[in-house]
Amino acid sequence: MVEWTDFERATIQNLFSKMDYELVGPAALSRCLVVYPWTQRYFGNFGNLYNAEAITSNENVINHGKVVLHGLDRAVKNMDNIKDTYAELSLLHSEKLHVDPDNFRLLADCLTIVVASRMGSDFTGDVQAAFQKFLAVVVSSLGRQYH
Amino acid sequence: MSLNESDKAVVRATWSKISKAADVIGADALGRMLCIYPQTKTYFTHWPDVKPGSAHVKEHGRKVMTGVAMGVAKIDDLSAGLLELSERHAFQLRVDPANFKLLSHCILVVMAIMYPKDFTPEVHVAMDKFLISLSLAISEKYR
């Protein structure tokens, strides 16, 4: 059972209520594909991922970025049971998509960077700590059902 | 994942843009690291205050960025260029090298906060590679 302080709960709810999903999702995913190019292995059918500009403007990347970020909504709404919330998604990523779970951590780092760049000085050390803790729980839950 | 000429060019160009704020970047990154990864505080029990903004954190952040600056200057041969720093970390400070990536991550976050438009994915990947290479050079003499 993950224990959340009041500050952590409030920070996560606040962050996501203000999040521009349409911009942040695509920005985080495209950044991940550029900064950690081996993650492109899962998107062979996405078309042109040849360079940073192609990746960032790729329609499939943009759409998928939105899907992924909205996927976090369930965790935001169920902070006290993220593990069970993502059990099915975890199995999907393992059995069907065959995604190395380390990639979740890489995407989480890129998401942190994108959120930081948008929030500026409001993204204090305490806020960053809460956000990273939340993402760490999500990442752990997504890897939990791998076998 | 070694630095190619294009990476080095991006690192040099980025550094010339941010170097005047190096002290601020260092202090913020170090303060964040101590806050977010409490295990890193174990190296600073001799400080009265490890809170972000404290004099010790500021001074040490400045010191760390002096090392980063040295890395930029010696980017063509980091192992040789940072030999002394590596020996200090290996034999005196004995910081577990796992912590280098924690501080590197915080440096990148601070760069994203302070330079949101400049910290593009291309700059991000070059700086990430550079900080990893720097960390490797510092770890060189450990064993």
Side-chain angles (χ1 to χ4, degrees):
Chain A
M1 243 309 264
V2 182
E3 297 207 5
W4 303 100
T5 65
D6 290 341
F7 173 80
E8 286 165 347
R9 283 181 196 276
T11 299
I12 297 304
Q13 298 305 315
N14 187 36
L15 259 169
F16 279 88
S17 72
K18 296 207 181 90
M19 182 104 61
D20 186 341
Y21 286 72
E22 310 296 285
L23 283 176
V24 171
L29 182 61
S30 57
R31 188 169 285 256
C32 187
L33 295 170
V34 171
V35 177
Y36 310 109
W38 53 95
T39 56
Q40 293 169 26
R41 77 190 300 278
Y42 303 107
F43 303 103
N45 59 344
F46 267 32
N48 184 3
L49 299 179
Y50 193 60
N51 53 37
E53 215 195 294
I55 290 170
T56 317
S57 58
N58 183 305
E59 282 293 322
N60 288 315
V61 172
I62 291 170
N63 290 333
H64 196 64
K66 296 177 194 174
V67 166
V68 167
L69 193 58
H70 277 292
L72 286 179
D73 283 339
R74 269 186 275 174
V76 175
K77 293 194 177 74
N78 289 291
M79 283 179 71
D80 288 314
N81 200 0
I82 296 178
K83 182 162 65 109
D84 287 342
T85 302
Y86 283 137
E88 219 182 292
L89 254 184
S90 176
L91 269 174
L92 175 83
H93 282 76
S94 162
E95 292 179 347
K96 192 154 170 266
L97 305 175
H98 308 297
V99 177
D100 180 342
D102 194 57
N103 291 282
F104 306 144
R105 191 183 54 78
L106 300 179
L107 180 58
D109 280 351
C110 287
L111 185 56
T112 301
I113 296 271
V114 170
V115 168
S117 69
R118 292 178 67 82
M119 284 185 70
S121 53
D122 285 345
F123 198 65
T124 62
D126 290 327
V127 169
Q128 184 182 343
F131 191 58
Q132 288 190 191
K133 178 175 167 177
F134 172 76
L135 290 179
V137 174
V138 169
V139 165
S140 166
S141 304
L142 278 174
R144 193 73 172 67
Q145 306 303 326
Y146 275 61
H147 59 97
Chain B
M1 290 194 260
S2 47
L3 296 164
N4 57 39
E5 288 312 312
S6 161
D7 294 324
K8 292 180 195 174
V10 172
V11 171
R12 287 190 182 109
T14 304
W15 184 253
S16 70
K17 239 183 248 167
I18 71 175
S19 58
K20 51 183 158 341
D23 291 359
V24 173
I25 295 172
D28 193 354
L30 192 69
R32 268 164 207 276
M33 183 193 75
L34 294 166
C35 166
I36 298 164
Y37 310 103
Q39 67 271 28
T40 57
K41 291 193 284 190
T42 57
Y43 293 96
F44 303 104
T45 51
H46 55 287
W47 288 354
D49 189 358
V50 285
K51 277 196 273 301
S54 77
H56 284 269
V57 171
K58 276 196 187 139
E59 170 54 28
H60 199 69
R62 192 196 61 77
K63 223 182 267 184
V64 166
M65 294 310 276
T66 306
V68 174
M70 201 186 308
V72 178
K74 311 274 171 101
I75 201 169
D76 288 317
D77 192 348
L78 285 168
S79 301
L82 298 173
L83 187 68
E84 227 181 280
L85 258 182
S86 181
E87 284 178 344
R88 197 176 330 153
H89 282 78
F91 304 123
Q92 236 183 288
L93 304 172
R94 288 180 283 201
V95 174
D96 187 326
N99 295 292
F100 298 151
K101 68 167 92 75
L102 303 181
L103 182 56
S104 298
H105 171 71
C106 290
I107 290 173
L108 295 175
V109 170
V110 171
M111 286 183 65
I113 288 172
M114 290 179 63
Y115 307 95
K117 294 208 167 43
D118 294 309
F119 198 61
T120 60
E122 294 99 313
V123 168
H124 180 168
V125 61
M127 287 306 295
D128 190 30
K129 286 176 77 175
F130 169 64
L131 290 174
I132 289 173
S133 302
L134 199 65
S135 304
L136 218 58
I138 301 271
S139 322
E140 183 72 35
K141 290 291 172 192
Y142 272 60
R143 56 177 176 172

